[in-house]
Amino acid sequence: MKYKMLVIDMDDTLLTDDHKISEENKEMLLKAQEFGVYVILASGRPTPAMTAYAKELQMESYMISYNGAVITDLKEDKILFEQTLTQEQIHELYDYSIKSKTHIITYIDGKVVSETSSEYIDIELSISGLEHNKVLDFKAAVQSSTVKCVLLEEPSYLKEVEKDLKKAMPHLSVSMSKPFFLEVAQNGIHKGASIKLLAEKLNILQSEIIAVGNAGNDLTMIEYAGLGVWVDNVDPEFRHKGDVIVASNNNHGVAEVVRRFILN
């Protein structure tokens, strides 16, 4: 099988725990691109928190950000696709966050917007590198559509919130990207859907796609791809839902994928 597209999650998959691309992963991804394979980064991260990594990998293809809500054409430096939550939906999620005693953030003008502070919001600020716009009134600050919201809280509690939110708001796309990040996007928006859209644009068959991930928000792309690959540090509940398991994010699992399934 000649694979034509390699889609990779970033945090806890491509990136080591200190948010770097290992030299082994970088070398193999550059080789994959030399082979003519489309290397696509697909992350829950905001677009600005991905671009430096795309440059480091010399990518001129496409990038999926905000958990599938935005697709960027890197070569043309333009947005190919964007789907947002409505203002009403965001306000509804805010009300739910108050009821469920969770923190809520969204993204406006390249900043993380929240009414509260927490250790989990601090983690998102650290990962994304974005400025924190802490507001007095979340609803007053959000007067337009935005690409996604994230609910944040202690992992075991947030897992219960995830189950409840899926029942309470079946019209939205809900998935966990980290144990303390519950991502909420417009209905039908997820990584798998965005990969399908890109594949159709590029005339690439489903069977010609490899997807690599580690968490619940990667499941749709793992299931959609011809070859769904988990890194070894995958959340245990999803371990049986992929085709292959490779080395962990800290042990160059992505490089292993390229060696085994592209260069061979």
Side-chain angles (χ1 to χ4, degrees):
M1 167 58 69
K2 187 177 187 301
Y3 291 104
K4 296 180 180 176
M5 182 187 286
L6 173 60
V7 188
I8 316 159
D9 169 57
M10 289 181 59
D11 294 287
D12 305 312
T13 299
L14 170 63
L15 304 182
T16 54
D17 288 349
D18 57 357
H19 309 303
K20 291 185 168 63
I21 302 174
S22 72
E23 282 305 313
E24 290 88 339
N25 281 348
K26 182 177 175 180
E27 181 188 349
M28 287 297 116
L29 289 175
L30 291 173
K31 282 189 177 175
Q33 291 176 97
E34 286 170 16
F35 264 57
V37 173
Y38 286 96
V39 171
I40 314 286
L41 296 181
S43 177
R45 284 178 177 237
T47 312
M50 298 174 67
T51 48
Y53 294 100
K55 284 178 182 167
E56 186 180 348
L57 294 171
Q58 299 172 32
M59 287 171 54
E60 289 191 337
S61 56
Y62 302 89
M63 197 167 68
I64 296 167
S65 53
Y66 293 108
N67 230 34
V70 177
I71 303 175
T72 303
D73 182 331
L74 292 169
K75 194 170 186 179
E76 300 294 328
D77 191 24
K78 67 179 184 182
I79 291 174
L80 188 70
F81 169 85
E82 183 176 59
Q83 181 65 61
T84 58
L85 290 165
T86 66
Q87 179 187 319
E88 292 72 25
Q89 287 171 328
I90 298 162
H91 288 190
E92 184 183 11
L93 281 164
Y94 172 80
D95 291 338
Y96 179 87
S97 78
I98 297 297
K99 181 182 134 195
S100 64
K101 296 183 171 60
T102 53
H103 300 274
I104 184 170
I105 62 173
T106 192
Y107 303 84
I108 299 174
D109 297 331
K111 296 177 183 176
V112 174
V113 177
S114 78
E115 207 175 75
T116 58
S117 295
S118 85
E119 61 184 298
Y120 305 114
I121 293 175
D122 287 344
I123 291 170
E124 170 60 7
L125 296 171
S126 171
I127 290 171
S128 68
L130 299 182
E131 190 180 325
H132 189 192
N133 181 18
K134 190 178 175 189
V135 296
L136 292 173
D137 185 330
F138 187 85
K139 284 185 176 179
V142 181
Q143 292 295 312
S144 62
S145 60
T146 71
V147 283
K148 73 168 185 176
C149 289
V150 185
L151 301 184
L152 310 92
E153 205 23 272
E154 183 276 324
S156 59
Y157 177 69
L158 198 62
K159 197 70 193 162
E160 295 307 309
V161 173
E162 179 188 21
K163 293 175 194 168
D164 183 70
L165 181 56
K166 284 179 174 177
K167 288 177 189 169
M169 300 186 189
H171 54 288
L172 296 178
S173 180
V174 177
S175 64
M176 202 80 82
S177 61
K178 279 183 177 287
F180 36 77
F181 290 169
L182 185 58
E183 311 253 347
V184 188
Q186 189 55 268
N187 186 35
I189 292 299
H190 47 73
K191 293 183 182 183
S194 294
I195 292 164
K196 182 174 186 287
L197 193 154
L198 263 184
E200 287 170 354
K201 173 183 170 59
L202 299 169
N203 294 315
I204 291 174
L205 301 174
Q206 199 171 342
S207 60
E208 297 172 326
I209 301 169
I210 304 175
V212 193
N214 79 291
N217 67 323
D218 300 318
L219 184 60
T220 55
M221 72 175 189
I222 296 296
E223 292 181 331
Y224 176 76
L227 184 68
V229 182
W230 293 122
V231 286
D232 194 44
N233 51 294
V234 57
D235 292 348
E237 65 179 297
F238 302 116
R239 200 169 180 90
H240 66 289
K241 294 191 173 182
D243 300 310
V244 178
I245 293 177
V246 295
S248 72
N249 66 312
N250 289 321
N251 289 294
H252 330 298
V254 169
E256 181 184 334
V257 173
V258 175
R259 275 196 305 270
R260 285 175 61 183
F261 302 109
I262 293 174
L263 301 188
N264 282 343

